[in-house]
Amino acid sequence: MHCTVTLMPHAAFAVMAMATSAATTMLLVLVLSTSSTATLPVAMADAGFIATTCNKTHNDKCVAVLTANPDSADASTVSDLAGVALDRAVAAASDAGAVINDRSSRYGGTAEGDALRVCSGAYFDAANDLDIDAHDSLGSGDYATASRLVSGAGGAADRCEGAFAAAKVSSVMADVDQKMKERCSVARDLINLLIPPK
């Protein structure tokens, strides 16, 4: 009887410890699953907002251009998305400049090298128009000017391709020029959504 009495507290303690451990585990699972589902609707809402906004532009590159930039997830207005798209266009112009420098060293003294010099000037102007003037216009609410500047900057790709066509050689910038055109068209189309109807 004495043994039974001394064993009972140990058994009771073991049962209580198991119950406490199970309760802690259940609480931890509950907290983790709640925090996971709490973040899920936000991510879904961001994707939904981007898709809905892009549908209004009728630009089939819009979603891909925006979702390639993590900053899009923080956007809550069309103006925010237009700013992200403009940043992507600025990056495309800057990347083009780096590519032109690299490829110029390989094509020095050739017709391709001459065309690359035309591309260099076109992209230099485009980068300035986008990074300075278009940003300023978008920030001040002058959406018509911002749209015009972005459209003009996108024309750098056409001027670059035109230089290769005039030299009667294959373009060594086709991939870069295509990316520039896509990014500028997305930025322009999003900015156009901000222009009040007349």
Side-chain angles (χ1 to χ4, degrees), residues 177-196:
D177 291 333
Q178 184 60 36
K179 181 168 77 170
M180 180 67 171
K181 286 172 79 167
E182 288 174 2
R183 290 192 183 175
C184 284
S185 73
V186 169
R188 179 202 63 220
D189 291 346
L190 286 166
I191 292 169
N192 284 345
L193 294 179
L194 299 167
I195 299 173

Side-chain angles (χ1 to χ4, degrees), residues 39-53 72-73 75-76:
T39 58
L40 188 61
V42 174
M44 289 171 66
D46 293 340
F49 175 61
I50 290 170
T52 301
T53 305
S72 297
S76 58

Side-chain angles (χ1 to χ4, degrees), residues 1-16:
M1 190 72 173
H2 179 68
C3 286
T4 307
V5 171
T6 52
L7 286 176
M8 280 300 282
H10 292 296
F13 178 75
V15 169
M16 283 175 51

Side-chain angles (χ1 to χ4, degrees), residues 101-142:
N101 287 339
D102 176 61
R103 294 180 185 173
S104 291
S105 64
R106 286 186 268 156
Y107 291 100
T110 67
E112 288 88 351
D114 292 340
L116 283 168
R117 275 195 292 282
V118 174
C119 296
S120 179
Y123 275 104
F124 179 82
D125 291 342
N128 283 336
D129 286 347
L130 292 169
D131 198 25
I132 300 168
D133 299 329
H135 263 133
D136 288 348
S137 296
L138 182 62
S140 68
D142 186 357

